[in-house]
Amino acid sequence: FTAGLGRQDGTSKATSAEKEFFDIDVTESSAEDFNLSFTRPLTSGGSFAFAFNNRANVNDSILQFGYTDSLNLTYTQPLMRGAWSEYATSIQRQGELAYRRQVETERQTRLGVVYQVRIAYWDLVNAIEQRGVAESGMDLGQSRLQQSERRLAAGVGTAVDVIQARVELATRHEALIQSQNAVAQTMDILRRLIFSGKRAGMWDTELVPSAGLPTEVSAQGLPGLSESLVTALQERPGLRQRQMDIDVARLQHAQRVSERMSGLDLAFSAGSGSAGEKPGTAFDETMDFSYPTYGASLNYSLNLGNRTASYAERSGRASVRAAIIEYDREELQVTAEIGRASCRERV
């Protein structure tokens, strides 16, 4: 919808006739314009247009007002290039697919974060368990060293036994340090995943797991390979994104095919107009279609050569093939992942 309101004032040198009949050297004129229009594109590829214009003229040379009104209705329908809903709604459908693809991207990111947090959590639990084992080993090494030293002092042991106990204690101490480092590293990884980088004291927060490692692990009750594969092919965000890429590529290719065609447009029009010295009279006659005008036309256009559209159509076809290949690659990767996971479950 558009609307406009304007005024023009002007002066001009009078013509010889105006000088002779009206005895003036300069003519002054003014015009006021009011117009509005409404254009509605249709899903068929055509468009409906409505336009109204009102103009009021004043000229000092003739000392009278002139009012002109016009009303025009037009319907245009392409029959070849740019025709029908597949082309007319392609941009909207591409926008919808882009939004849905972004939703799947966000879902994939969320699933990735959840997966990483789960892995980091159980890595931390395992590291804490290993640290506990290393601490128990240190206590055991200390006991063996003390026992070896007492045996040596009592004359029933040898210095070699003491040396071996000290070496074993040093080895266990090294294992304890490594386990402590592993706990610190895995805890940092989990902190980075669950806390915001702006959080004060983030790296000083102690994380204490509330659940330990399970005592028994069983694959009983898990879905089989075929069922897991069907679910993955339906739910995996990556595959959904690849499918949407194919849909977008096909829409764009259909656009390029349509744009390569010749233009053939059918148009119908109806109009009405009137002029008069009084504004109401001209307006009423225009709205009543007292002086109507009707028209119909069929317009044909052909772009000679049209190499740009031809290359664009070829590029669109190649994009469809590339999107399908990318989907197949993603599907094979998902199938391989499900197969490996199923094998690990059986083991």
Side-chain angles (χ1 to χ4, degrees):
F1 174 81
T2 60
L5 180 65
R7 177 183 174 86
Q8 294 178 337
D9 293 296
T11 59
S12 62
K13 185 177 181 180
T15 64
S16 57
E18 291 173 332
K19 291 180 179 179
E20 181 178 354
F21 290 102
F22 298 102
D23 193 24
I24 56 175
D25 296 325
V26 177
T27 62
E28 295 185 359
S29 62
S30 65
E32 294 181 354
D33 287 284
F34 170 72
N35 58 79
L36 56 86
S37 63
F38 176 81
T39 303
R40 170 68 177 179
L42 306 175
T43 56
S44 65
S47 62
F48 171 79
F50 161 86
F52 174 78
N53 180 265
N54 171 269
R55 185 178 181 86
N57 295 298
V58 178
N59 192 313
D60 288 346
S61 66
I62 56 178
L63 299 178
Q64 66 177 4
F65 289 89
Y67 295 93
T68 304
D69 291 324
S70 63
L71 175 66
N72 293 282
L73 305 173
T74 305
Y75 172 71
T76 304
Q77 175 60 55
L79 301 178
M80 295 177 64
R81 183 195 306 144
W84 317 126
S85 62
E86 184 179 16
Y87 182 89
T89 63
S90 60
I91 296 179
Q92 289 85 347
R93 285 184 288 167
Q94 289 179 46
E96 179 184 359
L97 288 170
Y99 169 74
R100 289 168 52 192
R101 192 185 191 285
Q102 189 61 32
V103 170
E104 291 299 325
T105 301
E106 180 182 359
R107 190 167 73 92
Q108 184 178 28
T109 302
R110 289 179 178 273
L111 290 175
V113 171
V114 171
Y115 174 77
Q116 292 176 11
V117 169
R118 287 179 177 271
I119 295 299
Y121 176 86
W122 291 115
D123 285 345
L124 176 60
V125 172
N126 181 67
I128 292 176
E129 293 283 345
Q130 294 298 324
R131 184 182 63 183
V133 172
E135 290 173 349
S136 299
M138 275 291 297
D139 295 337
L140 180 60
Q142 288 282 3
S143 299
R144 288 183 178 180
L145 177 59
Q146 292 173 1
Q147 183 180 8
S148 297
E149 289 176 345
R150 286 196 299 268
R151 288 172 59 85
L152 179 61
V156 294
T158 64
V160 175
D161 294 334
V162 175
I163 294 174
Q164 289 178 346
R166 289 177 178 172
V167 171
E168 181 181 356
L169 179 62
T171 302
R172 292 178 183 274
H173 187 260
E174 180 183 2
L176 176 60
I177 294 175
Q178 291 177 350
S179 65
Q180 291 173 342
N181 289 335
V183 170
Q185 291 175 0
T186 54
M187 192 174 295
D188 285 344
I189 293 174
L190 188 55
R191 288 192 190 106
R192 187 172 63 249
L193 288 171
I194 65 178
F195 292 144
S196 169
K198 299 179 180 179
R199 174 168 175 165
M202 165 182 168
W203 301 108
D204 297 329
T205 303
E206 186 73 15
L207 301 180
V208 181
S210 59
L213 293 174
T215 56
E216 295 183 3
V217 179
S218 174
Q220 186 177 3
L222 294 177
L225 175 60
S226 300
E227 184 179 353
S228 299
L229 184 58
V230 170
T231 302
L233 294 179
Q234 293 176 349
E235 300 295 335
R236 286 288 288 264
L239 285 175
R240 290 188 176 184
Q241 293 173 31
R242 301 290 87 77
Q243 183 59 57
M244 292 175 192
D245 291 341
I246 295 175
D247 295 340
V248 170
R250 285 174 174 167
L251 286 173
Q252 293 176 344
H253 178 244
Q255 281 184 298
R256 304 293 90 79
V257 171
S258 178
E259 291 168 356
R260 188 180 178 184
M261 299 172 66
S262 300
L264 183 63
D265 298 339
L266 179 63
F268 298 96
S269 63
S272 175
S274 180
E277 297 181 359
K278 297 181 179 181
T281 302
F283 180 79
D284 292 340
E285 291 177 344
T286 300
M287 293 295 105
D288 292 340
F289 271 72
S290 300
Y291 306 99
T293 301
Y294 301 100
S297 63
L298 186 65
N299 303 308
Y300 177 79
S301 62
L302 172 65
N303 293 328
L304 300 178
N306 205 17
R307 289 181 295 177
T308 300
S310 177
Y311 293 148
E313 191 271 333
R314 294 181 186 178
S315 176
R317 190 186 309 119
S319 297
V320 173
R321 290 200 300 266
I324 294 174
I325 291 174
E326 186 63 22
Y327 177 87
D328 292 340
R329 184 196 66 78
E330 184 84 14
E331 189 178 71
L332 288 174
Q333 181 178 345
V334 170
T335 303
E337 291 177 359
I338 297 299
R340 289 194 297 268
S342 179
C343 291
R344 287 195 297 267
E345 290 171 4
R346 290 195 297 269
V347 173

